[in-house]
């Protein structure tokens, strides 16, 4: 039912019904498109805020991407109806809107294209989507082939939904000269001050056809008639579409081609669909992409597909693995770096990413395009206040402002600075970033990155109550935990623990950069913080999540709901707060109360009603998102912590649960293909087992860089350090060997790891020479190394 293609370049799904929400996504510098297996699509482009050109049938609220995004009959989509002119039979590809069962069906998600191959009633349809690198538009190829033994007379109808564009002004018509449907609208607004922005918008939606259609329809209601979207009257009752237009009516972009195909004969079409400012721009696009060719006789369309493919391939990861687990290999080699790259390139299609998201997304980018990560860290630090505080969001565009969640004060942003920077330093050894001089948002003063981060650490040290616990205000990492501390007293257990970890990480960086005094200071404070944590937050078997404004500890054994939270547990292993005994206790509690077949839950039991001293997290549906889902970001922190303390079996078991499969039952329950990690799988496994495991299908998540770190620093133990590359694998018990190609600071390492019985400790050989401390030093760029790692079989 699902499989990687032979060359591993695509992941294929062979049915449109078993995983109806299975999806893939493409993006470029200006847009993102999320496509599901049945032909439904959510696409957004930046101008500079996210906007749509293929809209829902009613006015949509502007919000962030939704988890478990519902699809419905008139959901925006891209379809091809096929009518047999002799029998009158109709089917549609990919599957919607007609829902005729195909004889063969493949939905193939590639890195730079998404393809459907559908065989129905003796006709083979192939639809494929790609993007250009820069421009916001979709490049579509459609092929129709006669597989039957007899000649066929067909009408085919590409149907690109335009939807409800605007209550102020919407229309659409076919332009002979452009060979295109162009739909026009005015983005609704009311304040005259908005006019200057609105007038610059690309408020038109176009569908350009390479081949001249026989007819078209631009009026959705006329097209569908009484037949409705599953069997439009325009198709069922008419030989030719009526060549209609839309005048303050909902537009649609439908074309008709009439073809006669001999047995085995195929016809090919190309279309471009997207937003534009005016007809002139549509004409320009048509000539650039379809009419003009370059010196090699290649037109803009084909060149754009090729260039886009190259752009996506620039997003390669730093490891290529071959392990006893081929599904893990496929995911790690092909899809995980791509998802990290997407985050680093697009910043989740927002002009004001949350500070923690921005920093962690660029922690991931450190593996892919370290230069971009470097710039991102500097951009963030330029927006820091001189008192050390980081803002809630990072402004990326001159017209951007802090919106939505960024208007809610959170207290954790400073914590991410040393953590994310440490990954960048491990990977690049570029300590010069610490010397970069950067201004502050609210002062003329310019100071080094080193000073900036010191200030951030001091800010965290000072934003504490008399006990030494960090205030939470209206949220920490957990956005919707907004009522624990809004009165100014409540504290976050997790954040206090996280500051201890951040101080230790920063101390490590201070040491490596010749600031040993500072290192001592921060180590001492980390230790003090850990003591405070153990004094106030240890609950006997695990750590509490926090203490409310009214001095009520929560996330503890006497709580009926929200009894245990994952974040304080994992981070206490990172910070060093948990000693051996506490560690084994909390790990047992996590396994017993939070682990499920789909991963480890964020909290349990999920809240079933509002807890007013915790906040809106308790109002989310139990088992969804932060209210007790397997929230993969939090799960990844925990797994990373397990690797940090050498708990490799638990770590690997949980890591593996992040990827759908390999068995079919698991894939069906999650409903998602293993081409990305979603922000959550439904939890509340012990409360609502029926829905547990379901994917949110939301691929915006801070999870991915942490998973990459779990692989690099943990599982394969190939982490960079000041001196070079530290080799310290933690392969699970079941693996006898694994090999990794590791790109590191320009060198290429071919590493074979083998379990060897009777060995006392790990042995590392580089080009057959034993490396005493397991650290490969003096690696030269553009040089290949053969590395052998012998691992005692019993560890
Ligand atoms: O957003 C994420 C944030 O982007 O939630 C994480 C947080 O650490 C990330 O920075 C945990 O709270 O507002 C809400 O209730 C939403 O649930 C968001 O908090 C959540 C969504 O997943 C965004 O896609």
């Amino acid at each position: 039912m699902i499989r990687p293609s032979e060359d591993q370049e695509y992941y294929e799904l062979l049915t449109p019904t078993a995983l109806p929400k299975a999806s893939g996504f493409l993006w470029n510098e200006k847009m993102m498109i999320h496509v599901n297996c049945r032909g439904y699509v959510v696409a957004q482009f930046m101008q500079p805020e996210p906007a749509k050109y293929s809209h829902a049938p009613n006015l949509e609220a502007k919000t962030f991407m939704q988890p478990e995004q519902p699809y419905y009959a008139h959901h925006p989509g891209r379809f091809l109806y096929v009518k047999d002119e002799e029998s009158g039979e109709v089917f549609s590809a990919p599957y919607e809107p007609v829902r005729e069962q195909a004889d063969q069906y493949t939905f193939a998600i590639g890195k730079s294209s998404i393809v459907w191959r559908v065989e129905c009633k003796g006709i083979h349809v192939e639809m494929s989507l790609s993007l250009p690198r820069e421009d916001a538009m979709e490049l579509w190829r459609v092929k129709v082939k006669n597989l039957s033994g007899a000649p066929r007379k067909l009408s085919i109808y590409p149907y690109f939904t335009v939807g409800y564009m605007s209550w102020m002004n919407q229309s659409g018509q076919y332009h002979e000269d452009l060979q295109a449907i162009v739909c026009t609208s005015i983005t609704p607004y009311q304040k005259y001050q908005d006019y200057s922005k609105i007038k610059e918008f690309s408020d038109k939606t176009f569908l350009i056809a390479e081949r001249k259609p026989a007819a078209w329809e631009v009026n959705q209601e006329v097209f569908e008639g009484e037949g409705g979207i599953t069997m439009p009257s325009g198709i069922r009752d008419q030989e030719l579409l009526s060549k209609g237009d839309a005048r303050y009516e909902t537009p649609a972009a439908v074309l008709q081609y009439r073809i006669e195909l001999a047995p085995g004969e195929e016809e090919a079409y190309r279309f471009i669909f997207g937003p534009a400012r005016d007809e002139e721009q549509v004409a320009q696009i048509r000539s650039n992409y379809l009419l003009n060719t370059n010196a090699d006789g290649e037109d803009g369309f084909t060149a754009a597909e090729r260039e886009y493919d190259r752009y996506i391939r620039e997003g390669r990861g730093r490891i290529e693995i071959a392990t006893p687990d081929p599904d893990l290999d496929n995911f790690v080699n092909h899809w995980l770096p791509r998802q990290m790259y997407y985050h680093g390139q697009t910043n989740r299609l927002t002009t004001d990413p949350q500070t923690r998201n921005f920093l962690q997304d660029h922690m991931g980018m450190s593996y892919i395009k370290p230069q971009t990560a470097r710039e991102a860290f500097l951009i963030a630090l330029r927006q820091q206040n001189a008192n050390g505080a980081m803002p809630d969001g990072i402004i990326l565009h001159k017209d951007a402002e802090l919106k939505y969640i960024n208007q809610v004060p959170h207290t954790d942003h400073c914590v991410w600075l040393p953590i994310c920077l440490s990954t960048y330093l491990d990977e690049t050894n570029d300590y010069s970033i610490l010397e970069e001089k950067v201004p502050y948002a609210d002062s003329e003063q310019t100071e080094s990155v080193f000073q900036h981060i010191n200030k951030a650490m001091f800010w965290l040290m000072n934003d504490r109550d008399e006990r030494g616990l960090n205030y939470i205000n209206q949220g920490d990492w957990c956005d919707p935990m907004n009522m624990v501390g809004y009165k100014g007293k409540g504290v976050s257990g997790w954040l206090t623990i996280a500051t201890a970890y951040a101080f230790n990480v920063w101390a490590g960086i201070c040491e490596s950069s010749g600031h040993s005094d500072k290192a001592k200071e921060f180590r001492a404070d980390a230790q003090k913080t850990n003591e405070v944590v153990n004094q106030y937050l240890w609950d006997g078997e695990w750590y509490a999540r926090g203490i409310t404004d009214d001095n009520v500890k929560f996330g503890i054994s006497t709580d009926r709901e929200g009894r245990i939270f994952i974040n304080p547990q994992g981070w206490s292993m990172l910070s060093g707060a948990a000693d051996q005994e506490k560690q084994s206790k909390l790990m047992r509690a996590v396994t017993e109360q939070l682990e499920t077949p789909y991963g480890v839950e964020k909290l349990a039991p999920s809240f079933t009603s509002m807890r007013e001293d915790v906040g809106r997290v308790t109002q989310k549906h139990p088992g969804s998102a932060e209210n007790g889902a397997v929230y993969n970001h939090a799960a990844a922190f925990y797994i990373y912590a397990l690797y940090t303390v050498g708990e490799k079996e638990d770590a690997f078991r949980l890591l593996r649960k992040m990827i759908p499969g390999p068995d079919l039952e698991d894939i069906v329950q999650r409903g998602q293909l293993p081409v990305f990690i979603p922000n959550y799988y439904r939890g509340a496994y012990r409360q609502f087992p029926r829905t547990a495991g379901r994917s949110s299908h939301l691929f915006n998540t801070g999870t991915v860089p942490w998973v990459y770190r779990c692989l690099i620093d943990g599982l394969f133990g190939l982490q960079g350090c000041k001196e070079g590359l530290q080799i310290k694998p933690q392969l699970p018990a079941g693996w006898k060997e694994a090999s990794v190609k590791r790109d590191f600071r320009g060198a290429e390492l071919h590493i074979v790891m083998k379990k060897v019985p009777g060995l006392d400790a790990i042995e590392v050989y580089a080009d057959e020479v034993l490396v005493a401390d397991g650290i490969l030093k003096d690696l030269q760029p553009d040089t290949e190394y053969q590395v052998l790692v012998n691992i005692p079989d019993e560890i």
Side-chain angles (χ1 to χ4, degrees):
M1 190 172 77
I2 73 164
R3 61 180 185 208
S5 64
E6 220 162 293
D7 61 4
Q8 310 261 320
E9 290 295 321
Y10 288 85
Y11 215 99
E12 299 179 343
L13 169 69
L14 306 180
T15 154
T17 50
L19 318 177
K21 287 191 172 175
S23 63
F25 67 98
L26 301 175
W27 80 90
N28 68 17
E29 297 287 296
K30 296 221 177 56
M31 67 173 284
M32 179 283 302
I33 181 163
H34 187 197
V35 179
N36 97 353
C37 63
R38 296 159 74 105
Y40 292 137
V41 169
V42 176
Q44 307 206 50
F45 72 106
M46 305 296 281
Q47 60 169 358
E49 296 302 333
K52 299 238 160 90
Y53 52 92
S54 178
H55 306 254
N58 53 3
L59 200 64
E60 279 180 290
K62 292 220 159 49
T63 163
F64 55 85
M65 280 171 73
Q66 296 296 293
E68 302 194 50
Q69 152 83 48
Y71 297 101
Y72 44 86
H74 278 85
H75 192 282
R78 319 287 181 259
F79 313 106
L80 183 84
Y81 293 93
V82 179
K83 174 164 102 171
D84 185 307
E85 299 239 350
E86 282 152 339
S87 69
E89 282 185 311
V90 177
F91 72 92
S92 66
Y95 178 69
E96 300 287 352
V98 180
R99 301 190 175 184
E100 181 76 30
Q101 277 299 336
D103 300 320
Q104 301 273 348
Y105 167 96
T106 309
F107 172 51
I109 299 171
K111 289 165 200 158
S112 60
S113 66
I114 292 180
V115 184
W116 289 268
R117 288 184 291 272
V118 177
E119 212 180 296
C120 195
K121 303 180 192 300
I123 300 296
H124 184 267
V125 175
E126 186 178 296
M127 294 171 69
S128 75
L129 164 68
S130 185
L131 305 178
R133 180 188 170 133
E134 299 279 349
D135 297 336
M137 63 180 72
E138 305 168 17
L139 305 175
W140 285 90
R141 288 176 185 269
V142 174
K143 290 187 205 158
V144 182
K145 188 173 182 180
N146 179 3
L147 298 180
S148 49
R152 300 282 294 268
K153 273 193 177 167
L154 305 174
S155 264
I156 62 164
Y157 310 80
Y159 175 25
F160 290 68
T161 64
V162 178
Y164 187 62
M165 301 177 87
S166 163
W167 51 259
M168 274 180 62
N169 186 336
Q170 58 173 356
S171 63
Q173 71 188 81
Y174 181 77
H175 292 251
E176 298 269 2
D177 54 330
L178 300 171
Q179 219 162 272
I181 287 172
V182 181
C183 305
T184 300
S185 71
I186 302 290
T187 292
Y189 74 106
Q190 278 147 343
K191 301 185 192 126
Y192 79 86
Q193 292 92 334
D194 289 337
Y195 171 66
S196 58
K197 269 191 250 158
I198 298 281
K199 71 175 185 190
E200 302 298 330
F201 281 176
S202 291
D203 263 348
K204 292 184 194 276
T205 300
F206 66 84
L207 174 66
I208 303 174
E210 182 183 28
R211 294 172 61 169
K212 194 176 163 64
W216 56 85
E217 184 54 75
V218 188
N219 187 316
Q220 188 189 307
E221 225 170 274
V222 170
F223 173 60
E224 287 186 21
E226 293 309 312
I229 190 168
T230 49
M231 193 53 69
S233 303
I235 293 178
R236 189 188 57 192
D237 305 336
Q238 293 173 217
E239 203 172 80
L240 268 187
L241 293 175
S242 348
K243 305 189 175 179
D245 58 7
R247 297 283 153 215
Y248 198 57
E249 292 155 316
T250 303
V254 197
L255 302 171
Q256 179 177 7
Y257 294 89
R258 307 187 79 186
I259 47 177
E260 293 188 20
L261 291 176
E265 200 185 348
E266 180 177 88
E267 292 286 349
Y269 303 82
R270 295 189 298 179
F271 304 97
I272 308 177
F273 185 57
R277 276 200 59 187
D278 47 32
E279 279 75 8
E280 221 170 287
Q281 197 191 355
V282 177
Q284 196 61 52
I285 291 168
R286 178 162 176 254
S287 61
N288 291 350
Y289 282 83
L290 292 173
L291 303 181
N292 299 338
T293 53
N294 63 21
D296 305 328
E298 189 183 53
D299 62 24
F301 191 108
T302 314
E305 288 172 321
R306 205 171 26 74
E307 202 192 312
Y308 180 62
D309 186 63
R310 200 171 44 215
Y311 163 72
I312 294 300
R313 280 174 204 283
E314 283 168 19
R316 277 185 324 114
R318 286 289 164 264
I319 50 173
E320 243 175 75
I321 63 170
T323 74
D325 185 342
D327 297 297
L328 178 75
D329 297 353
N330 179 271
F331 185 72
V332 170
N333 295 341
H334 297 276
W335 304 104
L336 182 61
R338 179 181 183 269
Q339 195 179 356
M340 277 201 305
Y341 183 44
Y342 156 75
H343 282 84
Q345 277 308 114
T346 63
N347 297 303
R348 311 185 188 195
L349 278 100
T350 147
T351 56
D352 64 326
Q354 287 177 267
T355 301
R356 84 176 72 79
N357 294 3
F358 185 65
L359 293 173
Q360 290 172 90
D361 290 350
H362 286 281
M363 173 168 98
M365 204 58 159
S366 304
Y367 294 109
I368 293 176
K369 287 195 172 172
Q371 192 56 34
T372 307
R374 188 184 208 274
E375 280 154 28
F377 295 138
L378 299 181
I379 290 172
L381 287 171
R382 266 185 219 120
Q383 298 181 30
Q384 183 181 24
N385 282 340
N387 70 356
M390 288 297 285
D392 285 293
I394 303 297
I395 300 282
L396 297 182
H397 190 280
K398 64 175 179 22
D399 298 328
E401 47 192 37
L402 296 182
K403 299 178 288 295
Y404 310 122
I405 193 72
N406 288 336
Q407 296 173 339
V408 180
H410 287 54
T411 47
D412 64 310
H413 296 295
C414 289
V415 151
W416 305 100
L417 285 169
I419 296 172
C420 299
L421 190 67
S422 78
T423 301
Y424 171 78
L425 294 173
D426 286 350
E427 204 50 27
T428 61
N429 215 26
D430 170 26
Y431 279 80
S432 75
I433 189 174
L434 297 176
E435 308 312 321
E436 286 285 346
K437 291 277 196 298
V438 182
Y440 291 92
D442 58 350
S443 105
E444 295 296 293
Q445 205 187 358
T446 290
E447 282 187 313
S448 67
V449 165
F450 180 74
Q451 287 301 349
H452 273 256
I453 300 185
N454 279 333
K455 283 194 171 168
M457 297 300 97
F458 288 128
W459 185 87
L460 287 167
M461 250 178 234
N462 291 326
D463 199 46
R464 290 175 162 175
D465 70 0
E466 61 296 341
R467 294 167 291 196
L469 298 165
N470 282 75
Y471 291 118
I472 184 169
N473 201 343
Q474 291 177 44
D476 55 20
W477 169 88
C478 184
D479 281 350
M481 200 179 270
N482 62 339
M483 286 165 79
V484 171
Y486 70 98
K487 295 178 193 156
K489 287 195 163 163
V491 291
S492 163
W494 165 75
L495 180 58
T496 309
I497 300 168
T499 59
Y501 178 55
F503 296 158
N504 273 331
V505 171
W506 184 236
I509 297 174
C510 292
E511 270 149 25
S512 303
S513 57
H515 298 95
S516 46
D517 286 357
K518 270 272 161 304
K520 272 199 210 109
E521 201 179 322
F522 285 112
R523 283 222 192 278
D525 215 88
Q527 202 187 329
K528 234 173 42 212
T529 308
N530 279 333
E531 284 161 18
V532 169
V533 164
N534 282 323
Q535 185 182 347
Y536 293 104
L537 298 165
W538 179 252
D539 183 51
E541 299 290 321
W542 63 83
Y543 287 96
R545 179 61 172 87
I547 307 175
T548 69
D549 278 325
D550 305 322
N551 206 20
V552 176
K553 218 177 271 184
F554 68 102
I556 56 174
S557 57
T558 49
D559 282 324
R560 197 176 51 84
E561 297 183 335
R563 189 186 304 133
I564 175 169
F565 286 66
I566 191 69
N567 275 352
Q569 319 318 327
W571 287 72
S572 69
M573 297 193 275
L574 291 171
S575 79
D579 59 20
Q580 198 56 52
E581 191 193 329
K582 289 193 171 65
Q583 196 180 301
S584 16
K585 284 188 173 170
L586 66 86
M587 279 175 61
R588 189 171 336 112
V590 168
T591 310
E592 285 171 5
Q593 301 183 54
L594 296 174
E595 189 167 341
T596 80
Y598 312 103
V600 67
E601 292 169 347
K602 181 187 165 268
L603 62 85
S606 291
F607 294 94
T608 56
S609 61
M610 174 64 157
R611 190 171 153 173
E612 289 182 355
D613 59 349
V614 173
R616 106 188 139 81
V617 58
T618 66
Q619 290 180 299
K620 294 202 177 188
H621 190 279
S624 77
E626 291 94 335
N627 188 10
V630 172
Y631 205 86
N632 283 315
H633 195 191
F637 297 148
Y638 184 69
I639 297 166
Y640 189 76
L642 289 174
Y643 276 121
T644 306
V645 297
E647 290 289 347
K648 63 189 178 63
E649 302 306 322
D650 273 25
F652 185 72
R653 190 181 65 252
L654 292 176
L655 182 68
R656 197 58 191 77
K657 288 182 179 186
M658 275 198 181
I659 310 168
D663 52 280
L664 205 59
E665 207 186 318
D666 182 85
I667 287 163
V668 170
Q669 182 65 15
R670 299 196 200 227
Q672 190 211 294
L673 295 176
V675 293
F676 58 84
I677 299 180
N679 79 326
Y680 71 76
Y681 298 110
R682 286 267 202 112
Y685 177 68
R686 291 158 185 83
Q687 291 155 284
F688 301 109
R690 180 173 69 80
T691 46
R694 244 179 227 182
S695 166
S696 68
H697 299 271
L698 186 60
F699 46 82
N700 282 349
T701 170
T703 309
V704 279
W706 284 94
V707 171
Y708 216 66
R709 291 188 68 190
C710 287
L711 296 165
I712 293 215
D713 303 356
L715 177 60
F716 298 107
L718 299 169
Q719 185 175 4
C721 59
K722 188 87 212 242
E723 303 80 45
L725 188 75
Q726 165 91 63
I727 306 212
K728 223 165 53 186
Q730 300 193 53
L731 304 188
W735 287 9
K736 290 292 170 218
E737 63 174 80
S739 55
V740 184
K741 189 177 120 214
R742 170 79 159 105
D743 281 341
F744 183 69
R745 301 182 190 166
E748 191 178 295
L749 296 107
H750 298 265
I751 305 161
V752 175
M753 302 176 174
K754 281 202 165 98
K755 295 269 179 80
V756 178
L759 216 61
D760 289 335
I762 291 179
E763 292 172 353
V764 177
Y765 296 86
D767 293 331
E768 298 184 5
V769 179
L770 182 69
V771 183
D773 53 4
I775 300 179
L776 305 183
K777 303 181 189 80
D778 301 322
L779 293 169
Q780 298 304 313
D782 304 315
T783 310
E784 288 193 29
Y785 297 87
Q786 306 297 328
V787 180
L788 174 68
V789 187
N790 290 331
I791 305 169
D793 200 10
E794 41 288 337
I795 65 168

